[in-house]
Amino acid sequence: MEEIKGNEQLSGPPLRDRGKALKIQSINYRKKILQYIVGAKAGHTGGSLSCTDILNVLYNQVLNVSPETFTSPDRDRYIQSKGHCVEALFVVLASKGFFPEEDLNTLCKYNSHYIGHPTRKVKGVEQNTGALGHGLPIAVGTALAGKMDKKNYRVFTLLGDGELPEGSNWEAALSASHYKLDNLCAIVDKNSLQITAPTKDVMNSDPMDKKFEAFGWAVKEINGNDIDELVAAFDGLPFEHGKPSVIIAHTTKGKGISYMENQLKWHHGVPSKEEYALAQQELDEQLLNL
Amino acid sequence: MAEQINTDLPYKANLEVFSEVLQRLAVDDKQIVVVTSDSRGSGKLVPFGKQFPEQHVEVGIAEQNLVGVAAGLASCGKKVFAVSPACFLTARALEQIKNDVAYSDNPVKVIGISAGVSYGALGSTHHSLHDYAALRAINNIMVVAPADNFETEQAIELASRTNSPIYLRFGKKAMPSLKEVNGDVFAFGKGRIIAEGNDVAIIATGETVYPALEAARKLAVENIHATVISMHTIKPLDTELLKRVSQQCKAIVTIEEHSVYGGLGEACASFLLQHGYAKPFKIMGIPDEYTVTGSQQEIFDHYGLNKEGITDEVRKLLKR
Ligand SMILES: [Mg+2]
């Protein structure tokens, strides 16, 4: 299997090959996400699987950050507002060498730093999140500091579609365009489901693009489970000079596992032994078919 | 002793001192950033904004975003003062203070202005009588209410050099200057002794320290000698000083511009009782009721947070 290291997007292989390598990486990430969720007997399975490709492309293709540069004031920042999908983040951070992957065997265990939401006690995590509607305001402050200090770093934050009704998101959205933060990119993991029901039935936030546009953002809608579309979208940042960018990433909750896809119960469902074996088998087949 | 105090003239509102000190510090310290939520006028920060537009961020009336943005700025090394009326800041943005500042350990200086019942007749929407209680129960944030201009100046200077979360609250009223008995020193977590006596300890914070001192003087005439402490830091509490005055005095009264629930008084009571210092004890503050309407002074007077009210409570405790 091809290992992707660091941020070699400029000097790496041509995009087609990189695309394949990234696709392999996504499948491997999904295998590990399920492995550690089963080990912890807890986790936000569906949402971690929906945002896997986004995190994969961010950490392996976009973000200028590594364990060595994590304390550098010039690093790119990634703030995961939908903190509950921490399993995806932890698996990706481990693959980047922020901490030994074995640490994840302690996920959600007594006295472990690897808890059910991101915490700065884990190397690679920028902010403690978990309560929804917090990532975007912090990202705005971080991007503002970059503008003040004339730094070139960029700030990325991943939002769930279910967290958009939190008013703080829209307070922050206003301020991001007011301050012309084109060093800021929000990604909405629009898997169209949340814990109770389809998001459009719980609290409809469509048309999402029009809302962000009205708040002064430059918007791009893509298939958030398509590696090539993700790479192309991030390559195009900022979408408009002087405006914050938002990628509305249409994704599938439970992506990659047939019986989990678009099923409410997998919001935080933990696979049984049999279900786990079936999921790994499906992912292995996907690897073979790439 | 109370007699040594000679500076009773009201000087400035602590709030004004706050903005002046910030303006002075910002000349040399370009990392200082003030974030306001349409509160630069009430925060006396208009001159700051004019002089240092690069060091001022306005977020509009959006307290949650105010604190979140402040946390992001602080995570990048900015010395951030997030300024908003205490009533909104510590209620509407409480979750941002809890998570983005305290839990994430972003060293924001959370500045609650026009605190307590400073807004008087504007009513309970504008009162902050819950902030000590709410913030005391949150790990990793200091809670400070300076009594006078000196404490305010010291607190702001110290806060700008402190790399951990801190909540500071000020009122709008011009405050007289208070002198510490043993020369003026200021450190977070160290109460200041404003008067010394062995009969009763009056432990106050913020704008209630001056009425406590006035009460001490009145009591001295009746041959009741009071220690008066400005317990400007409510968390972490100066437990050494508490122990000392509890051993030294026959009774203890606490006073705060806050609900009698969860603030300075209960913090003191909790420490003393759990460490075996049982003395006649009274918590003075705003009772748990629909707060009376009126100016700050009228509200203080209504609830006995004045010279007369405090001396009455002391006499009751001492049975004199
Ligand atoms: Mg969702």
Side-chain angles (χ1 to χ4, degrees), chain A residues 161-162 189 191-194 199 253:
Chain A
D161 51 356
D189 179 13
N191 58 30
S192 298
L193 285 181
Q194 59 192 101
T199 298
K253 204 160 179 175

Side-chain angles (χ1 to χ4, degrees), chain A residues 17 26 33 41 48 51 67 70 73 85 101 104 110 143 150 161 173 180 191 235 247 259 266 277 285:
Chain A
D17 294 353
S26 275
I33 288 166
K41 301 187 186 70
S48 282
C51 68
F70 186 59
C85 295
E101 193 191 305
L104 293 178
Y110 173 68
K150 303 196 166 46
D161 51 356
K180 303 183 168 49
N191 58 30
D235 275 352
I247 296 173
Y259 61 87
W266 291 103
E285 278 164 19

Side-chain angles (χ1 to χ4, degrees), chain A residues 62 154 156 182 184-185 232-240 245-247:
Chain A
V62 178
R154 298 180 297 172
F156 297 83
D182 53 12
L184 171 67
C185 174
F234 286 120
D235 275 352
L237 288 174
F239 300 147
E240 217 173 303
S245 302
V246 58
I247 296 173

Side-chain angles (χ1 to χ4, degrees), chain A residues 35-260:
Chain A
Q35 176 191 331
Y36 291 111
I37 285 175
V38 166
K41 301 187 186 70
H44 284 84
T45 313
S48 282
L49 294 174
S50 71
C51 68
T52 303
D53 302 299
I54 298 168
L55 282 170
N56 178 14
V57 172
L58 271 173
Y59 273 91
N60 290 304
Q61 194 69 27
V62 178
L63 294 175
N64 171 28
V65 68
S66 66
E68 295 72 36
T69 60
F70 186 59
T71 53
S72 162
D74 298 315
R75 73 191 182 281
D76 286 338
R77 269 76 162 179
Y78 169 73
I79 297 162
Q80 187 160 314
S81 192
K82 50 174 289 180
H84 53 287
C85 295
V86 71
E87 295 85 14
L89 176 62
F90 281 168
V91 162
V92 172
L93 288 177
S95 82
K96 301 303 290 179
F98 282 92
F99 51 82
E101 193 191 305
E102 307 87 81
D103 286 7
L104 293 178
N105 290 317
T106 69
L107 183 67
C108 289
K109 302 272 161 63
Y110 173 68
N111 220 12
S112 171
H113 294 324
Y114 300 87
I115 56 176
H117 292 100
T119 132
R120 293 172 90 171
K121 289 199 187 284
V122 173
K123 191 171 176 190
V125 173
E126 291 282 355
Q127 298 290 347
N128 297 357
T129 51
L132 297 171
H134 286 247
L136 193 53
I138 302 174
V140 167
T142 309
L144 261 172
K147 290 283 183 190
M148 285 175 171
D149 293 342
K150 303 196 166 46
K151 300 254 181 218
N152 289 322
Y153 68 74
R154 298 180 297 172
V155 184
F156 297 83
T157 183
L158 180 67
L159 313 176
D161 51 356
E163 74 171 299
L164 287 187
E166 290 283 9
S168 48
N169 286 315
W170 301 102
E171 294 182 9
L174 270 182
S175 59
S177 60
H178 181 89
Y179 286 106
K180 303 183 168 49
L181 299 179
D182 53 12
N183 54 348
L184 171 67
C185 174
I187 307 110
V188 181
D189 179 13
K190 194 173 194 297
N191 58 30
S192 298
L193 285 181
Q194 59 192 101
I195 194 164
T196 306
T199 298
K200 67 174 173 33
D201 298 331
V202 177
M203 185 47 63
N204 186 19
S205 51
D206 288 331
M208 203 180 282
D209 56 334
K210 295 278 178 287
K211 290 185 177 66
F212 275 104
E213 272 166 24
F215 276 73
W217 288 58
V219 185
K220 201 157 265 183
E221 295 209 54
I222 62 164
N223 176 348
N225 292 129
D226 185 306
I227 294 290
D228 298 330
E229 286 193 33
L230 281 163
V231 169
F234 286 120
D235 275 352
L237 288 174
F239 300 147
E240 217 173 303
H241 180 75
K243 280 188 179 183
S245 302
V246 58
I247 296 173
I248 298 174
H250 294 264
T251 58
T252 300
K253 204 160 179 175
K255 177 72 184 177
I257 313 301
S258 59
Y259 61 87
M260 291 185 184

